[in-house]
């Protein structure tokens, strides 16, 4: 099973956004709690759990959030909190309605949209889910005797020989375990496991990835991950990957990220985001040690604005600017060229190679 990182998901979403229209929307509002709309909630649960299983090999947790309803009270979407580090605050599953029928859905986030195709039995109940542009995401849905989601099975073989299968364990209405299997002929082995523990303030995940065609014993673990995802607050979301470490995203009232902070055993990395006319204008990334001593700063300006001539370029001009631990500007790239400061002296401008 291939690990899908955040940046690759973003690329998939942007590729689809380049040639996909935005679904038509009626007047909508976000509501907390659980509106009464069992059909919509059942479909959203299938898609949400399937997407979570697809992320089993990286262990990320997308906290279910509020529903979006139209003026009639019909659920049109559900928001899920992205883990800190994502550019968007929410991943949104938006349903496509035609009258009283759900004809499909769209996964929105990271600057783009991915189409979701659903298949149904006569119940009607979702029996298949496919998310376009996500690798090998074309699955059958399996249910147990109670009607709960038991897991998923990929409809297509990888390299004409391997099939991926996921099982889901529940406690009440909560997923407590996801297990990813690889099948090759008559042989089956566990590829990845994610365990979840729910507390009043957080969801704790432990994830293990095993070597292909190996037994799920400790010696065959190729990677492991841990995360304590704190209950999302009004304007922030934090995950604790290990004692003494944390990652936090902070948002404004428009759900725009204004700060990302990562604390590790080596120091603190803090990024501040500013916007002009609701467009990301500048990122300021500062690194300090654990005692707060300044180490370095990088400023990325995304577009040029009008400003006094006396204002430094990193406050007004599109480009990339690096500062050393003394706060001195040592590198700048703008207008297709760059230069460095070496031993206190600037080099000549040189053209950037793309």
């Amino acid at each position: 099973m291939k690990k899908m990182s955040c940046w690759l998901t973003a690329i998939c979403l942007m590729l689809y956004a380049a040639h996909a229209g935005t679904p038509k929307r009626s007047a909508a509002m976000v509501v907390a709690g659980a509106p009464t709309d069992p059909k919509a909630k059942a479909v959203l649960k299938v898609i949400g759990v399937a997407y979570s299983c697809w992320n089993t090999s990286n262990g990320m947790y997308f906290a279910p959030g509020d529903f979006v309803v139209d003026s009639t009270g019909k659920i049109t979407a559900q928001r899920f909190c992205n883990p800190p580090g994502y550019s968007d605050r929410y991943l949104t599953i938006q349903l496509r309605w035609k009258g009283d029928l759900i004809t499909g859905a769209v996964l929105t986030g990271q600057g783009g949209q991915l189409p979701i195709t659903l298949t149904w039995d006569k119940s009607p109940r979702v029996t298949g889910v496919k998310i376009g542009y996500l690798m090998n995401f074309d699955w059958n849905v399996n249910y147990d005797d109670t009607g709960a989601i038991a897991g998923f099975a990929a409809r297509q073989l990888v390299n004409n020989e391997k099939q991926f299968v996921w099982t889901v364990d529940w406690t009440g209405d909560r997923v407590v375990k996801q297990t990813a299997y690889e099948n090759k002929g008559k042989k089956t082995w566990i590829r990845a496991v994610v365990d979840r523990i729910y507390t009043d303030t957080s969801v704790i995940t432990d994830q293990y990835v095993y070597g292909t065609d190996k037994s799920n014993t400790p010696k065959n673990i190729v990677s492991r991950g841990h995360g304590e995802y704190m209950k999302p607050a009004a304007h922030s979301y934090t995950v604790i990957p290990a004692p003494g470490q944390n990652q936090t995203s902070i948002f404004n009232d428009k759900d725009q990220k204004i700060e990302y902070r990562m604390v590790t055993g080596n120091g603190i990395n803090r990024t501040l985001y500013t916007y002009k006319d609701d467009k990301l204008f500048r990122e300021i990334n500062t690194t300090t040690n654990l005692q707060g001593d300044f180490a370095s700063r990088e400023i990325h300006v995304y577009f040029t604005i009008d400003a006094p001539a006396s204002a430094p370029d990193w406050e007004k001009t599109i480009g990339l600017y690096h500062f050393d631990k003394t706060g001195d500007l040592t590198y700048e790239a703008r207008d297709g060229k760059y230069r460095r400061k070496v031993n206190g002296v600037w080099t000549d401008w040189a053209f950037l190679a793309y």
Side-chain angles (χ1 to χ4, degrees), residues 163-165 167 179-191 212-216:
Q163 183 190 33
F164 294 147
V165 176
T167 60
T179 306
Y181 296 84
E182 287 183 3
N183 296 337
K184 184 177 180 181
K186 296 182 179 181
K187 189 172 183 179
T188 299
W189 60 90
I190 292 176
R191 192 71 170 91
T212 189
D213 202 9
K214 301 287 186 180
S215 61
N216 58 316

Side-chain angles (χ1 to χ4, degrees), residues 154-316:
R155 291 169 172 165
Q156 297 179 339
L157 299 180
V158 176
N159 298 325
N160 295 318
E161 59 178 10
K162 289 182 183 177
Q163 183 190 33
F164 294 147
V165 176
W166 292 260
T167 60
V168 181
D169 294 342
W170 301 80
T171 294
D173 202 41
R174 291 172 168 175
V175 175
V176 294
K177 187 172 187 174
Q178 297 169 185
T179 306
Y181 296 84
E182 287 183 3
N183 296 337
K184 184 177 180 181
K186 296 182 179 181
K187 189 172 183 179
T188 299
W189 60 90
I190 292 176
R191 192 71 170 91
V193 176
V194 174
D195 293 312
R196 292 183 193 165
I197 298 174
Y198 297 81
T199 74
D200 292 337
T201 58
S202 67
V203 176
I204 301 169
T205 65
D206 285 294
Q207 170 252 357
Y208 307 89
V209 178
Y210 299 93
T212 189
D213 202 9
K214 301 287 186 180
S215 61
N216 58 316
T217 57
K219 69 177 183 179
N220 293 324
I221 295 174
V222 295
S223 69
R224 66 178 66 198
H226 173 85
E228 183 174 3
Y229 293 79
M230 307 306 294
K231 185 176 181 179
H235 290 94
S236 66
Y237 191 30
T238 297
V239 60
I240 301 172
Q245 302 181 25
N246 69 74
Q247 300 171 27
T248 299
S249 289
I250 300 175
F251 306 88
N252 61 20
D253 289 335
K254 296 181 179 180
D255 291 329
Q256 295 168 326
K257 182 184 289 188
I258 57 175
E259 181 178 344
Y260 173 67
R261 184 171 59 248
M262 180 171 63
V263 180
T264 69
N266 299 318
I268 302 170
N269 187 287
R270 184 173 182 236
T271 303
L272 300 177
Y273 305 84
T274 57
Y275 300 82
K276 300 287 186 182
D277 297 325
D278 286 335
K279 296 178 181 179
L280 179 60
F281 166 63
R282 184 173 61 185
E283 293 183 23
I284 302 177
N285 179 269
T286 303
T287 301
T288 63
N289 62 23
L290 292 175
Q291 289 71 45
D293 299 322
F294 180 79
S296 66
R297 175 173 291 130
E298 176 180 289
I299 298 178
H300 196 159
V301 179
Y302 289 98
F303 55 88
T304 300
I305 62 172
D306 293 330
S310 59
D313 286 313
W314 59 85
E315 292 184 359
K316 63 183 180 181

Side-chain angles (χ1 to χ4, degrees), residues 5 23 58 67 185 200 228 249 267 320:
S5 61
N58 57 39
F67 292 95
D200 292 337
E228 183 174 3
S249 289
L320 183 65

